[in-house]
Amino acid sequence: MNNIPSVDLADFLSDDPKRKQKFVNEIGSAYEEIGFVSLKNHFLSDDLVAELYKEIKAFFALPLETKASYEIEGLGGQRGYVSFGKEHAKGKKEGDLKEFWHFGQEADADAKLTDEYPANVEVTELPDFNKTGMEAYRMLEKTGIFVLRALALYIGVDEHYFDHWASNGNSILRPIHYPPITEEPKGAVRAGAHGDINLITLLMGASTGGLQVLRKDGEWMDAIPKEDELVINVGDMLERHTNNKLRSTIHRVVNPPKEEWGNPRYSIPFFMHPRSEMKLNCMPECVDQEHPKAFEDITAGDFLHQRLVEIGLIKK
């Protein structure tokens, strides 16, 4: 395997049961084998993608003191700006060579989650920044729910098993800026080798390459989607919930060749989290004699807190 498999969401959304099942089989087997796919025919329009990139590039071009005014203490980086080098991969001490922003869930009133989720931070210098970010958030959330429906069918539970937990979930949209590299990084990379914390991650095509996925044979493979595709991978929560049936694959963003150090890189992952009270206990459908229960019971909220401490966004 030299690239991640490509799947077409239009198959799942079609009225043809064979096409729908084809998508279920393709994405399910890809997630058992490599943990990553690229997906076409998602809900993000080209115009919305272009507008979002324009807004995030404008934000990261603001003076450092302006950006720093949006860094909110005490939130563990859940909303607003997180400055350069703050986050590191689990088990690594060097900070990643990136700065980023977090848009979070704005839950429906009837979900009664107002007290649980912090408010999003408004960027006053850019009147369209928050509106554009949340439009993209909604389209990625919608795409992710359909992917989770396909995975529910693949596992053998009701198609809408994840709907309640993922709708109004604690998801995060994270525009990232990897600035030009100006000196030898001393062991740091743009994003150290890691698995994602959440259920699934939907990644809008990065402005330059660098994303690599660790194959089962221990070799790193470049993940290169087509321009109109999203990269979608399994996170640790879903791996845990499916008792290792679906794989949360280690991946990284490597530094470019030295001649390209002067180029910045932008990428926009959407980390799809469930509501905090969702139990991540191993699903009975994924436990048998050959695959005994591999994880202790835990809620999504407790697991998230544990991992935010491990990666340095929450101090003990």
Side-chain angles (χ1 to χ4, degrees):
M1 186 183 291
N2 295 320
N3 198 8
I4 56 176
S6 178
V7 294
D8 188 346
L9 188 59
D11 288 336
F12 188 73
L13 298 175
S14 78
D15 294 326
D16 181 347
K18 287 184 179 174
R19 280 184 69 190
K20 184 171 182 176
Q21 190 60 47
K22 171 176 174 281
F23 180 87
V24 169
N25 294 344
E26 285 176 349
I27 197 167
S29 58
Y31 282 166
E32 284 202 46
E33 181 61 30
I34 188 69
F36 272 75
V37 297
S38 56
L39 178 128
K40 56 188 169 190
N41 288 314
H42 46 80
F43 295 104
L44 279 172
S45 69
D46 291 344
D47 287 348
L48 180 53
V49 170
E51 187 64 24
L52 183 57
Y53 270 105
K54 183 179 86 130
E55 291 296 325
I56 67 158
K57 286 177 180 180
F59 174 78
F60 289 120
L62 291 171
L64 182 56
E65 58 271 23
T66 305
K67 291 185 288 188
S69 71
Y70 294 111
E71 192 155 20
I72 312 299
E73 290 300 319
L75 281 185
Q78 288 183 74
R79 300 290 185 274
Y81 178 64
V82 178
S83 53
F84 189 76
K86 273 273 176 75
E87 185 181 72
H88 56 78
K90 180 182 172 183
K92 204 169 168 24
K93 64 179 187 298
E94 297 88 2
D96 290 340
L97 304 178
K98 67 189 181 193
E99 58 180 345
F100 52 92
W101 180 271
H102 275 165
F103 294 102
Q105 182 67 265
E106 293 176 355
D108 297 333
D110 60 1
K112 299 184 171 62
L113 290 166
T114 312
D115 294 339
E116 184 168 338
Y117 298 145
N120 277 310
V121 180
E122 294 284 329
V123 177
T124 55
E125 290 82 1
L126 301 169
D128 294 326
F129 180 81
N130 289 79
K131 175 175 71 72
T132 305
M134 289 312 296
E135 279 179 26
Y137 186 108
R138 292 288 166 233
M139 293 301 100
L140 288 159
E141 184 177 54
K142 183 178 178 181
T143 302
I145 285 172
F146 280 107
V147 168
L148 289 172
R149 287 178 182 175
L151 296 177
L153 291 172
Y154 185 75
I155 292 160
V157 295
D158 182 81
E159 179 176 342
H160 301 282
Y161 172 86
F162 290 103
D163 282 19
H164 168 76
W165 301 111
S167 302
N168 295 297
N170 192 20
S171 300
I172 291 285
L173 180 63
R174 174 190 279 192
I176 305 173
H177 173 223
Y178 303 93
I181 298 170
T182 56
E183 59 183 343
E184 196 65 45
K186 297 188 177 70
V189 292
R190 283 181 158 172
H194 65 284
D196 290 341
I197 300 170
N198 40 289
L199 290 173
I200 56 174
T201 301
L202 297 86
L203 176 68
M204 295 169 61
S207 61
T208 60
L211 178 64
Q212 294 186 332
V213 176
L214 189 63
R215 298 189 315 210
K216 280 183 176 176
D217 63 4
E219 295 294 317
W220 288 100
M221 175 180 78
D222 291 324
I224 308 171
K226 294 199 172 89
E227 201 166 307
D228 59 345
E229 293 179 336
L230 297 175
V231 172
I232 307 183
N233 62 282
V234 173
D236 292 351
M237 286 185 183
L238 189 58
E239 179 179 73
R240 189 182 189 105
H241 196 38
T242 62
N243 197 39
N244 290 319
K245 180 178 178 69
L246 305 181
R247 295 185 59 217
S248 176
T249 304
I250 298 296
H251 52 286
R252 65 186 183 184
V253 179
V254 295
N255 298 333
K258 200 160 188 174
E259 60 271 18
E260 296 174 22
W261 278 9
N263 299 331
R265 181 181 189 270
Y266 299 89
S267 71
I268 311 175
F270 179 74
F271 298 115
M272 194 158 197
H273 285 261
R275 301 181 190 211
S276 299
E277 70 270 23
M278 180 182 179
K279 292 178 179 176
L280 299 179
N281 308 356
C282 298
M283 299 170 76
E285 293 79 8
C286 302
V287 177
D288 56 31
Q289 279 193 320
E290 287 182 32
H291 307 92
K293 182 180 173 182
F295 302 101
E296 293 298 313
D297 296 349
I298 195 169
T299 65
D302 287 342
F303 183 70
L304 174 61
H305 183 270
Q306 181 182 302
R307 290 295 299 275
L308 290 176
V309 170
E310 290 171 346
I311 64 173
L313 286 181
I314 289 180
K315 303 302 175 192
K316 287 183 183 175

